[in-house]
Amino acid sequence: MASDDRWLERLRLELAWFTGQPLLRSRGAGAILRFERVRPRRSGAFQPLRQNEITPQFLDRAIRALKRWNYDFLGMDEVCRRAVTLPEKRRFVALTFDGAAKDLISFAYPVLARHAVPFTLYVPTAFPDGVGEAWWLGLEQVIARESRINLMMGDREQRFTVTDNAEKQALFSFLESWLRSLPPADLSVAIADLCTRYRIDLAALSREASMDWEDLAKLAADPSVTIGSATVNYPVLANIKDVAALREMTMGRAVAEAAFRREIRHLAFPFGDRASFRRSHVVMAEEAGFASAVSTISGIVDAEGRTNLRALPRISWDGRMRSLRMMRVLVSGVAFAPVKPTGSVTSRLNDG
């Protein structure tokens, strides 16, 4: 069913491009693009996280295309300014990267530096400290290696048999959804139990996948790079108490400011979909001193204050799509409903 939905969405976007809508009636002031991992394409049928990956070659093609389409490339400070002022003639695009993956400095940064375009990196500070848990990578490795998987779900032992790629993909989706529904302490216990059973060193896997502070210092020295915060441990904020959520925001900002010796003004809600954060977290972002907070709710940014700065939409690019035509449709805004004026935070969250 999910593959059918993706096919229909791709068809809708391709048809929109062929009708000329992106050229004739673009909407909003600009768009924020979200990427996660940038690395060469891998072989193997079981790649459940492929939607979070693009290749360096695609990043290069996308930047070249956006330049041809006369988009202004902005950092998040300038995005905030454009979002509250009168519309400008040229539309903007902001490139953002979540998670501080090691791939960014190895494969993405050379492309970004060559094009001399600004970008924003959101850092969950536990990961460069070497104590973050990339539980989704541990889950991926267990399912990739095993055909029979046992684990504790709540107080019951569950057993799964997965003999082909389709079954492995389905099991990954099921267990990922279950793990994301757990409070952080329960999630850590569950993924530790699973990885221990199947001899996966989750701590080493997480450290290997993440940049360290030395890597991040190299990026921070580039004036075209904006460093933002993605909390400390990258938890699903909706699964923790408000006091813990505020602590994640304030401590993530404080650690990053101490490490980079600069003000950290921008936040990314971990995971960032509608189920992962609430209205109260948008209010907290302002209380914690952030000028903006980005979600992964799809949409474009409007001008004149019509988009809430602490619930900014982003277009999360699916690495399984390589069509620049679809990207042009999405960044034009014609695929999204018009942005409604946000007298309250809830309207931004509901509109998507």
Side-chain angles (χ1 to χ4, degrees):
M1 183 64 71
S3 60
D4 290 341
D5 292 342
R6 286 200 306 274
W7 184 85
L8 290 173
E9 177 64 8
R10 292 180 65 172
L11 178 61
R12 183 176 73 89
L13 295 174
E14 292 278 6
L15 289 174
W17 184 84
F18 280 111
T19 64
Q21 293 181 60
L23 297 176
L24 297 175
R25 55 182 189 92
S26 58
R27 182 178 293 143
I32 306 172
L33 285 170
R34 174 190 181 263
F35 305 104
E36 194 166 326
R37 303 197 68 172
V38 181
R39 60 179 177 177
R41 192 168 299 281
R42 297 174 295 153
S43 60
F46 179 64
Q47 296 187 46
L49 297 171
R50 187 173 173 184
Q51 70 269 20
N52 298 328
E53 301 178 10
I54 60 169
T55 64
Q57 293 77 16
F58 180 83
L59 180 61
D60 179 76
R61 289 176 57 221
I63 293 172
R64 291 178 185 276
L66 290 162
K67 286 181 174 180
R68 288 197 308 271
W69 304 333
N70 294 318
Y71 276 79
D72 290 334
F73 289 81
L74 304 184
M76 286 306 298
D77 286 330
E78 182 63 11
V79 169
C80 291
R81 188 192 69 80
R82 293 262 191 121
V84 298
T85 58
L86 292 173
E88 301 193 13
K89 288 184 178 180
R90 285 168 60 107
R91 294 172 57 77
F92 73 79
V93 66
L95 307 180
T96 66
F97 296 83
D98 286 6
K102 187 80 173 180
D103 311 322
L104 190 139
I105 197 165
S106 301
F107 300 112
Y109 185 58
V111 176
L112 296 158
R114 185 169 66 249
H115 283 286
V117 293
F119 66 93
T120 299
L121 170 65
Y122 293 103
V123 180
T125 56
F127 287 80
D129 273 340
V131 295
E133 288 186 339
W135 56 265
W136 49 91
L137 299 181
L139 178 63
E140 178 186 36
Q141 285 217 358
V142 168
I143 297 176
R145 285 171 33 174
E146 305 295 333
S147 58
R148 291 181 176 83
I149 297 169
N150 299 351
L151 78 160
M152 292 296 296
M153 298 184 70
D155 58 358
R156 296 186 61 185
E157 177 100 359
Q158 300 288 347
R159 296 175 174 82
F160 301 94
T161 300
V162 283
T163 57
D164 59 29
N165 180 59
E167 290 176 345
K168 286 177 179 284
Q169 294 279 358
L171 180 60
F172 181 89
S173 296
F174 172 69
L175 292 180
E176 181 194 35
S177 178
W178 171 66
L179 287 166
R180 278 189 54 177
S181 72
L182 299 176
D186 294 345
L187 192 159
S188 290
V189 169
I191 196 65
D193 171 61
L194 182 65
C195 289
T196 300
R197 291 181 187 223
Y198 298 100
R199 301 182 182 86
I200 298 295
D201 188 340
L202 181 61
L205 185 65
S206 300
R207 287 194 298 271
E208 181 183 349
S210 177
M211 285 188 277
D212 57 27
W213 289 114
E214 184 178 350
D215 295 325
L216 290 165
K218 294 176 184 177
L219 294 176
D222 186 337
S224 63
V225 179
T226 299
I227 302 292
S229 173
T231 72
V232 178
N233 297 295
Y234 210 71
V236 174
L237 296 176
N239 293 343
I240 60 180
K241 294 181 178 179
D242 282 355
V243 64
L246 182 58
R247 184 168 59 247
E248 280 281 347
M249 291 185 196
T250 55
M251 286 300 296
R253 186 182 186 203
V255 172
E257 287 184 337
F260 300 116
R261 299 181 181 179
R262 67 178 66 172
E263 184 183 12
I264 302 298
R265 292 170 40 81
H266 306 288
L267 172 73
F269 294 117
F271 301 98
D273 56 16
R274 287 182 176 87
S276 65
F277 72 104
R278 300 187 295 266
R279 179 184 185 279
S280 59
H281 301 123
V282 179
V283 176
M284 281 180 213
E286 183 172 8
E287 292 175 355
F290 291 105
S292 78
V294 293
S295 69
T296 59
I297 298 172
S298 294
I300 45 86
V301 179
D302 214 335
E304 300 181 273
R306 287 193 290 269
T307 305
N308 192 301
L309 289 180
R310 293 170 189 88
L312 288 168
R314 286 190 293 174
I315 298 168
S316 296
W317 186 256
D318 190 322
R320 295 165 295 189
M321 297 195 303
R322 286 171 279 175
S323 168
L324 293 177
R325 294 195 296 262
M326 284 188 278
M327 179 173 281
R328 189 164 195 180
V329 173
L330 288 170
V331 297
S332 75
V334 299
F336 305 111
V339 175
K340 298 178 182 178
T342 53
S344 68
V345 171
T346 50
S347 58
R348 171 67 261 163
L349 293 177
N350 291 332
D351 291 341

